[in-house]
Amino acid sequence: EGLIRSSALLRLYLSFNNKDRKVQLGEYEFSGNISLFSLAREITEKGPKNPLLVATIPEGSTSLEVYQIFAKALPSIDKNIFFNLIAANNLEGKLFPSTYHLLPSYKETTIIDLMAAIYLKKVIPIIEGSVAPQPLSGEKDILILASILEGEANTEKDMKIVAGILLERIRIGMPLQVDVAPETYKRRGLPKEPINNPGVVAITSVLHPISTEYLYYITGKDGNMYYAE
């Protein structure tokens, strides 16, 4: 907001006074002109008027669950606006699972922009640096299959094996028939949209599947995955 006229001087002052690791993140309010030294004391000693809020989005969260987590931290955000922004920006499956630090003043647009930026930073380089396995045709297909893996397998190894199985089912024209996506029992191929928002492990598993002779898998009562030809 122009209050810090010299960032170099502020850094020098904080470092010289051993306060460079004491800056408290959050939302501050200042009235009128304030000296650099007074501002430094505010952000290192008095602290913010409103501290940062924390919202953690687990891997495989649906868009509704993402909204509910943010709404718990920021009750003022509007559900309809949130989902309209997701649709308008084509962000289904791209609400990157992570821990987000929020200011109380954040609005729906701020949150969506933040999540989209993290997706571009964390996911796009992985996808662009790999070749999508056949018969997947691009980013959307990768996200759809990754979202299925989030519900079908727990470990990275199992995700890669299940990815190989599901890709083979598609290749031979067999319905996917996965419980997390009921429509796959009614029609062949992938669902039309991601069923949740996958994390890096699931996305990487799609791009680097393990090829086996298996066509079937099941999770045992002991939590382990079992496979069959």
Side-chain angles (χ1 to χ4, degrees), residues 14-198:
L14 292 175
S15 178
F16 184 78
N17 289 280
N18 296 317
K19 292 182 177 182
D20 46 341
R21 296 184 180 274
K22 297 180 181 179
V23 176
Q24 301 177 49
L25 303 181
E27 190 172 55
Y28 290 83
E29 286 187 7
F30 301 104
S31 58
N33 292 326
I34 183 171
S35 71
L36 188 70
F37 310 110
S38 296
L39 187 144
R41 285 194 294 271
E42 288 280 345
I43 64 175
T44 58
E45 298 174 14
K46 294 185 178 181
K49 177 183 178 182
N50 295 308
L52 291 180
L53 305 171
V54 178
T56 298
I57 310 299
E59 289 84 355
S61 297
T62 65
S63 295
L64 176 59
E65 289 168 339
V66 171
Y67 163 76
Q68 290 171 337
I69 292 169
F70 280 120
K72 188 173 181 180
L74 297 167
S76 63
I77 64 172
D78 183 271
K79 182 178 179 180
N80 290 332
I81 295 176
F82 192 84
F83 277 91
N84 287 339
L85 287 169
I86 292 174
N89 292 279
N90 190 29
L91 292 177
E92 200 65 55
K94 302 178 184 179
L95 303 178
F96 188 72
S98 185
T99 295
Y100 292 88
H101 296 85
L102 317 167
L103 288 172
S105 59
Y106 277 11
K107 304 297 183 184
E108 299 84 0
T109 303
T110 320
I111 297 170
I112 291 297
D113 288 348
L114 177 60
M115 299 193 85
I118 297 297
Y119 175 83
L120 287 173
K121 180 180 179 181
K122 298 285 188 180
V123 177
I124 291 301
I126 296 174
I127 294 177
E128 291 183 345
S130 305
V131 177
Q134 293 297 321
L136 304 185
S137 61
E139 178 186 358
K140 186 174 181 179
D141 283 357
I142 292 167
L143 292 178
I144 291 172
L145 187 53
S147 71
I148 290 174
L149 294 183
E150 288 286 6
E152 292 286 301
N154 294 320
T155 68
E156 183 174 2
K157 182 179 179 180
D158 285 328
M159 282 188 178
K160 289 183 177 181
I161 294 174
V162 172
I165 291 172
L166 297 181
L167 286 168
E168 183 62 18
R169 288 184 184 179
I170 296 173
R171 291 188 193 106
I172 65 175
M174 176 182 174
L176 288 182
Q177 296 181 324
V178 291
D179 292 342
V180 294
E183 66 263 42
T184 59
Y185 281 89
K186 302 174 183 178
R187 53 184 291 272
R188 290 181 174 85
L190 294 167
K192 294 181 179 180
E193 298 288 339
I195 60 174
N196 57 50
N197 296 279

